[in-house]
Amino acid sequence: MVKNILIPVDGSDGSDKAVAQAVELAKIYEAKLNFLYVANINQLAINAALSHAILDAVKKAGQTILTRAENMVPSEIESENFLETGAPAAVILEFEEKLNAGLIVMGSRGLGLVKGVLLGSVSQYITERAKCPVLVVK
């Protein structure tokens, strides 16, 4: 039985479609939705230290994306938001275990390095390594 659904989000169309699909699945399974935004600062900071202003801007953008996802959830469905920094694939897999996720729902493509966090290769990586089922939404 699926009780926790993990949805990595990045604000892309694919991510929004994944949120909509996860909402429908949460209704069926009476599951909690767990939205995760991963700020991929590792790649943004190649050979440079991030200033606090840049880090704050990235986190603020992530919080905006999480709020948008949360606004797509009907009030009768329980949900929670998480904002993390690091390598998206690794953080997603860590959260899968931390939340004891029964399902991961994610978009097939993200917005790229500067605008988003999820890339097609991330969804493929997660599909191959996750311990729970993964639904990739196009």
Side-chain angles (χ1 to χ4, degrees):
M1 183 72 74
V2 176
K3 288 297 175 194
N4 277 306
I5 301 174
L6 175 59
I7 310 97
V9 294
D10 70 353
S12 67
D13 288 341
S15 176
D16 289 347
K17 290 176 184 177
V19 171
Q21 185 68 56
V23 167
E24 293 306 312
L25 292 168
K27 290 177 185 175
I28 294 167
Y29 292 109
E30 298 179 1
K32 178 182 177 183
L33 298 177
N34 299 278
F35 298 107
L36 173 63
Y37 177 88
V38 183
N40 191 356
I41 62 168
N42 295 337
Q43 290 183 9
L44 291 174
I46 296 171
N47 297 326
L50 283 177
S51 72
H52 288 292
I54 292 172
L55 185 56
D56 288 344
V58 169
K59 287 184 176 181
K60 184 176 179 181
Q63 192 56 56
T64 299
I65 289 167
L66 288 167
T67 299
R68 189 169 95 203
E70 187 77 30
N71 288 337
M72 296 173 68
V73 179
S75 60
E76 67 271 11
I77 297 175
E78 184 181 0
S79 63
E80 190 170 356
N81 294 336
F82 301 93
L83 192 151
E84 297 291 326
T85 59
V91 174
I92 292 166
L93 292 176
E94 286 172 16
F95 263 75
E96 173 198 13
E97 289 192 35
K98 177 181 177 182
L99 299 171
N100 194 25
L103 177 67
I104 299 172
V105 180
M106 61 191 303
S108 62
R109 297 207 59 81
L111 291 174
L113 176 60
V114 176
K115 294 183 181 177
V117 297
L118 300 177
L119 300 172
S121 61
V122 173
S123 61
Q124 180 179 352
Y125 185 90
I126 297 302
T127 300
E128 293 171 354
R129 289 170 178 80
K131 294 178 181 166
C132 70
V134 179
L135 173 61
V136 179
V137 180
K138 289 185 172 188

